[in-house]
Amino acid sequence: MEQRTVAFIGAGNMARSIIAGLLESGYPAQKLIAVDRSPEVSAKHRETYGIIANEDAVASAKQADVVVLAVKPQDMETLLQNMEGVDWSSKLVISIAAGISSARLSEMAGSQLKLVRVMPNTPSLVSEGMSGLYAPDFVSDADKLFAGQLMKAVGEICWVSEESGINAVIAAAGSAPAYFFLFMEAMQAEAERQGFDKETARLLVQQSALGAAKMVVANPDIELATLREQVTSKGGTTAEALNVFNNKQLTETVSEAMQAAVRRAEEMESLF
């Protein structure tokens, strides 16, 4: 991986997970900068990661080859307006803020940004993330390669050819961990009702979910439907449970939920 100086403007959970992943992969600590408004947080980052950390977004951006915008969407306009002294022409900008289009980010910055939008998800915190990326046509292949490698430090990636595809990534990956957590939460609750203590009920559910996911990863050439069929004996207990899901229209419910996530993502774009 090319070793550019990367400044993370906003050093919350997602930025820290990327920093940790980069360091674990051998990226030099002296090439990483974390910016946080709190001097205490900056000191902690220096101590924990051995990286450069400070409270000066403008100076850090000027020093960097790559600027990762990792602040909350509602704080983005103020941040970029306060960075008027930064020459963006030679920098790759990576935004992990939801709901703000590439055109709007350039408008906020008052400059045409060489921008890659990234939509990560929370499993990035344990290096099992799934990130979708989009870049306008004028972004170079070298910059796109670097952005992809950056996010591979915390999981898998996919590129979308149209910016609207980022909203579909939100529905299929960005929000998806919550879907699984909800399903697991319901299973744990029922296991407890059936007599298991809380710890055992959770163990039963989380290990089954982990094992199922690992089976999917270990068998990329086998369709998900086939894996499901392999667990389902005709007339057996699994078939009976799946009949309930089908009768309750689980497939249609999932589809509706994902479409709702896309609609909300589109609505959010009008807020900023």
Side-chain angles (χ1 to χ4, degrees), residues 5-219:
T5 299
V6 185
F8 293 82
I9 311 300
N13 287 337
M14 192 59 67
R16 291 198 301 272
S17 70
I18 298 171
I19 290 168
L22 289 169
L23 292 172
E24 188 174 344
S25 69
Y27 206 88
Q30 66 270 22
K31 291 281 189 178
L32 299 176
I33 306 169
V35 177
D36 192 279
R37 288 177 291 187
S38 166
E40 292 78 12
V41 171
S42 295
K44 184 176 180 180
H45 291 341
R46 289 192 294 270
E47 179 182 347
T48 302
Y49 302 113
I51 62 175
I52 303 166
N54 58 58
E55 302 83 62
D56 193 334
V58 174
S60 296
K62 287 180 177 179
Q63 182 180 350
D65 305 307
V66 181
V67 177
V68 180
L69 300 175
V71 300
K72 294 177 181 178
Q74 59 267 32
D75 296 332
M76 188 68 76
E77 186 166 15
T78 299
L79 170 72
L80 290 175
Q81 288 178 346
N82 288 336
M83 298 177 75
E84 290 180 354
V86 177
D87 179 5
W88 297 106
S89 62
S90 61
K91 301 182 188 299
L92 168 63
V93 179
I94 298 174
S95 170
I96 61 174
I100 310 180
S101 70
S102 56
R104 180 65 179 127
L105 285 164
S106 289
E107 182 181 348
M108 290 176 177
S111 177
Q112 180 66 68
L113 301 177
K114 295 191 295 183
L115 179 76
V116 176
R117 281 189 66 191
V118 177
M119 177 47 58
N121 65 7
T122 55
S124 299
L125 300 175
V126 292
S127 298
E128 293 292 350
M130 181 67 230
S131 300
L133 297 90
Y134 165 78
D137 291 339
F138 57 80
V139 175
S140 70
D141 289 342
D143 282 345
K144 287 189 281 189
L145 176 62
F146 184 88
Q149 290 175 329
L150 185 88
M151 296 312 300
K152 281 186 177 180
V154 291
E156 299 293 335
I157 68 168
C158 73
W159 285 90
V160 296
S161 58
E162 302 291 337
E163 189 162 11
S164 59
I166 286 291
N167 292 335
V169 170
I170 292 173
S175 298
Y179 314 159
F180 296 119
F181 295 151
L182 177 63
F183 196 86
M184 293 168 71
E185 182 184 358
M187 289 183 65
Q188 179 182 341
E190 180 56 28
E192 289 180 40
R193 282 191 287 269
Q194 294 188 11
F196 293 102
D197 61 71
K198 183 176 181 179
E199 291 72 21
T200 303
R202 175 163 173 154
L203 178 63
L204 287 164
V205 173
Q206 72 184 31
Q207 187 61 29
S208 297
L210 176 63
K214 284 190 172 182
M215 287 184 68
V216 171
V217 172
N219 296 281

